[in-house]
Amino acid sequence: MKLKSVRTKLTLLLFCISLIPLLLVIGFYLAINISASIDNAKSDGLLRNSIINEHITEHFERNLAVLRTISRNPMTLQYAQAEAGKGDPLMEQTLIRTNEVLNDSDNMIITDKNGDQLARSDSYPLINVEHRRYFHEAMQGAEYISDVLISLANNRLITVLEVPVFDENNMAVGMVQRDYDLSALQHYVKELSSPTTRVMITDGVGNLVAHSESQAESNQLVSMIANPAVAAGLAGKTGSIDVVVPNPGTSKKERMLVSYSKNKISGWVVITERSYSYIWQKVFTDALKAVGIGGIMLFVVALLAAFIAEKATRKIRTISSLASRAAAGSLDSVSFSELGDDELGQMALAINKIRSSRDSYRKDAEIDKLTGLLNKATFERLCRRTLVENQPGVFSALIIVDLDHFKEVNDCLGHQKGDVVLHDFGEVLKKLFRPTDLVGRFGGDEFVVLLNDLPGKEIALQKAKRIIEAAEAISTGSETIRVSASVGISSTPLHGIDYDSLFSIADKSVYAVKESGRDGICYGNGDVTRL
């Protein structure tokens, strides 16, 4: 057998031995990446749902508060009891000014106990609404948010918010209502959607309220009750499911990841849909990167295998050379010293020790041992780099969290229990944030998070609320000592675009929360809020 053949076969053997685990690592990476992409899509969908739910709740609560104020006005009671004539200019001006306060053009109406409209803020004729459900709810003394209706005045799709007007005997003698034009919500949904994600809202009986891609025509109610996500949402469930739906314009069907949740104040269902084709597209892009990196690694492995084969067969070539020289009679005793002892095993052991020591040192230098989060130096380095690489206008939020009453845990329950509290809180933070977010511990009871590339501050405030809830759920093992969290938030570009500016504002915000009694949230230089 030729020496060249031995070296080639050894090179191929080493290459194949290295190729198998490399392929397994690439396959494992892709599997993890697919799972992470689906989980991120679910989290993103539920997060969008939460933002829309908060928007709906805030809008309706604000409108109901205004309706309650008007319903309790003595002038409204006199008007509803027909002590003033229909079309009273003063009352009409009051309704119009209400629209100016709410900064919209939704219609305000006062109705008497017979269902006859007495005044409107628009120019449409007064009508009778006795046959409407919301009128009967008002006459029974209940506030009510209706499902989608077709307006009798202008044939547009609306939702009615009503509050009854009570007399001195606490009997309903009329109602104040506000017709919420769904076009405003439609516009908001379109703004919150993206090319890869569409959003849909249905009312409490499954009729379409708003859709990010299309809007129901006037004088037409579109039922979505057959959608399984709608049915699950109406049943009060929250979660994500896979559905297969027809692809518009083609005969093919499309697999969708659908996240759904129910709005508590209105009973509406918010649904976020993302096509798996977009998810696979991202996975495919990551797979191409992995294959590219794998190809480079294979090339390096091939060179390494050739090098190792060269080194491993060097002694064989030396022996062959010595044998040839011996056959020629030119071998001397000094030449045998070239063989020496075999040190390949010792070299491999030394390399493994160096690699193991390097990896262990790097891990110890970057990770907080108690919580498994980034330590202060690593977090600052990564945070500064992320902020520098951001495009202009990108919204990022820096959150500083300070555990309240942690010193009492250490003083009364011992440092060992304090370490358990820190470890448990670190585990909660790992689950609460995305893999792309930076989460670290600065030492003691201070934690810090960077949320990068967000749609707006609502998400940062949502996360801050969940941090406070998570801190309150941490068990100390004592009924008298409970931990809570003080949270300060700063964001780009409002409070600066560099790390030092953001940290300074967030740190002052935490101090403001501490000074105001702890257990709260402060955004920038704003007021402290509590759950």
Side-chain angles (χ1 to χ4, degrees):
M1 182 179 294
K2 296 181 179 180
L3 294 177
K4 181 178 179 181
S5 177
V6 172
R7 184 169 58 188
T8 301
K9 290 182 177 179
L10 183 58
T11 300
L12 291 175
L13 177 61
L14 293 174
F15 178 77
C16 291
I17 292 175
S18 302
L19 177 62
I20 293 174
L22 181 60
L23 292 177
L24 290 175
V25 169
I26 293 176
F28 179 74
Y29 167 79
L30 292 178
I32 293 297
N33 189 263
I34 291 173
S35 177
S37 297
I38 294 176
D39 289 342
N40 286 341
K42 290 180 180 179
S43 299
D44 180 74
L46 291 174
L47 187 58
R48 289 175 187 267
N49 288 3
S50 178
I51 294 172
I52 296 174
N53 272 322
E54 284 195 3
H55 174 79
I56 294 173
T57 299
E58 180 183 359
H59 182 82
F60 283 170
E61 285 182 343
R62 184 171 65 249
N63 278 267
L64 287 174
V66 171
L67 291 176
R68 294 186 192 107
T69 301
I70 296 176
S71 70
R72 295 165 186 167
N73 191 317
M75 183 175 66
T76 305
L77 175 61
Q78 294 176 4
Y79 203 72
Q81 291 177 323
E83 294 182 18
K86 288 186 178 181
D88 180 32
L90 179 59
M91 180 55 69
E92 292 177 355
Q93 285 300 316
T94 299
L95 298 181
I96 293 173
R97 282 197 299 271
T98 302
N99 283 351
E100 295 174 354
V101 171
L102 292 171
N103 195 27
D104 59 33
S105 58
D106 289 340
N107 189 30
M108 294 284 296
I109 303 172
I110 297 179
T111 305
D112 66 15
K113 64 181 179 181
N114 299 317
D116 292 325
Q117 294 180 351
L118 303 177
R120 300 172 62 98
S121 62
D122 59 13
S123 59
Y124 287 99
L126 302 175
I127 60 176
N128 185 279
V129 294
E130 185 180 6
H131 62 288
R132 291 292 199 180
R133 177 180 174 182
Y134 59 80
F135 170 75
H136 293 282
E137 293 287 343
M139 291 303 97
Q140 293 176 13
E143 295 182 356
Y144 186 68
I145 301 175
S146 76
D147 296 317
V148 177
L149 300 173
I150 300 174
S151 173
L152 296 176
N154 55 23
N155 282 338
R156 303 190 67 175
L157 293 183
I158 62 171
T159 293
V160 174
L161 294 84
E162 62 82 9
V163 173
V165 177
F166 296 102
D167 62 10
E168 61 276 5
N169 297 319
N170 205 29
M171 297 294 294
V173 295
M175 69 176 183
V176 182
Q177 80 178 59
R178 187 167 173 79
D179 295 345
Y180 176 43
D181 192 333
L182 296 179
S183 59
L185 182 60
Q186 174 72 21
H187 178 73
Y188 178 79
V189 166
K190 282 182 176 291
E191 289 288 328
L192 198 61
S193 64
S194 69
T196 62
T197 305
R198 59 180 182 235
V199 181
M200 178 175 68
I201 303 176
T202 69
D203 64 13
V205 294
N207 290 323
L208 186 63
V209 174
H211 199 294
S212 60
E213 291 188 352
S214 62
Q215 185 174 6
E217 299 178 0
S218 297
N219 199 22
Q220 180 181 357
L221 297 178
V222 180
S223 177
M224 305 296 295
I225 195 66
N227 189 308
V230 174
L234 291 177
K237 299 178 181 179
T238 298
S240 300
I241 59 174
D242 291 347
V243 298
V244 178
V245 298
N247 195 344
T250 68
S251 59
K252 298 180 180 180
K253 292 187 176 181
E254 188 176 17
R255 186 183 177 197
M256 308 288 291
L257 176 62
V258 182
S259 301
Y260 54 89
S261 58
K262 188 174 183 180
N263 183 265
K264 294 182 179 180
I265 189 172
S266 65
W268 292 359
V269 178
V270 182
I271 296 175
T272 304
E273 299 178 331
R274 175 170 293 183
S275 172
Y276 269 95
S277 61
Y278 294 111
I279 299 176
W280 300 144
Q281 183 177 3
K282 181 181 183 304
V283 173
F284 179 72
T285 301
D286 292 341
L288 289 179
K289 294 179 182 178
V291 170
I293 296 173
I296 296 174
M297 294 180 66
L298 286 177
F299 178 74
V300 174
V301 167
L303 293 179
L304 184 61
F307 174 76
I308 294 175
E310 168 70 19
K311 295 284 289 184
T313 58
R314 182 176 297 174
K315 287 186 179 182
I316 299 177
R317 295 197 304 275
T318 301
I319 293 173
S320 176
S321 175
L322 291 175
S324 298
R325 290 165 61 186
S330 61
L331 182 65
D332 55 34
S333 58
V334 177
S335 299
F336 284 102
S337 65
E338 296 177 9
L339 297 177
D341 295 330
D342 189 0
E343 298 177 347
L344 293 177
Q346 296 180 11
M347 291 175 60
L349 181 60
I351 292 173
N352 289 336
K353 287 182 178 180
I354 292 173
R355 183 184 298 113
S356 177
S357 299
R358 181 195 60 194
D359 293 343
S360 177
Y361 173 77
R362 180 164 50 190
K363 182 176 181 181
D364 291 342
E366 295 179 350
I367 301 299
D368 176 64
K369 293 183 179 180
L370 179 59
T371 62
L373 304 177
L374 299 175
N375 61 24
K376 180 178 181 179
T378 305
F379 179 90
E380 287 187 358
R381 174 173 55 82
L382 295 177
C383 187
R384 291 180 189 274
R385 185 176 68 186
T386 299
L387 294 173
V388 169
E389 293 174 351
N390 277 346
Q391 296 295 324
V394 169
F395 187 94
S396 301
L398 184 67
I399 302 176
I400 297 180
V401 183
D402 200 341
L403 290 181
D404 305 322
H405 311 296
F406 180 73
K407 185 177 183 300
E408 299 176 30
V409 175
N410 276 340
D411 293 344
C412 300
L413 304 179
H415 288 276
Q416 185 175 5
K417 186 60 181 179
D419 288 347
V420 172
V421 170
L422 293 175
H423 175 271
D424 291 348
F425 189 66
E427 292 297 314
V428 170
L429 292 182
K430 292 177 186 177
K431 298 176 181 178
L432 183 58
F433 294 97
R434 303 171 298 181
T436 55
D437 297 330
L438 300 178
V439 186
R441 178 188 174 216
F442 271 24
D445 58 354
E446 188 177 31
F447 296 82
V448 63
V449 181
L450 176 69
L451 299 172
N452 194 42
D453 195 11
L454 300 177
K457 73 174 184 179
E458 293 83 2
I459 297 178
L461 293 174
Q462 268 299 108
K463 291 292 187 180
K465 293 178 182 178
R466 296 185 63 184
I467 289 174
I468 291 181
E469 294 171 352
E472 293 175 349
I474 296 294
S475 173
T476 63
S478 172
E479 293 294 329
T480 58
I481 302 176
R482 308 292 297 177
V483 296
S484 58
S486 297
V487 180
I489 308 173
S490 60
S491 63
T492 62
L494 177 62
H495 302 120
I497 59 174
D498 61 278
Y499 172 81
D500 293 327
S501 299
L502 293 178
F503 188 88
S504 176
I505 295 297
D507 190 52
K508 291 177 181 178
S509 300
V510 171
Y511 183 78
V513 178
K514 289 285 191 181
E515 287 294 303
S516 68
R518 307 176 180 176
D519 192 18
I521 303 168
C522 181
Y523 178 80
N525 298 319
D527 296 330
V528 176
T529 60
R530 292 180 172 81
L531 298 185

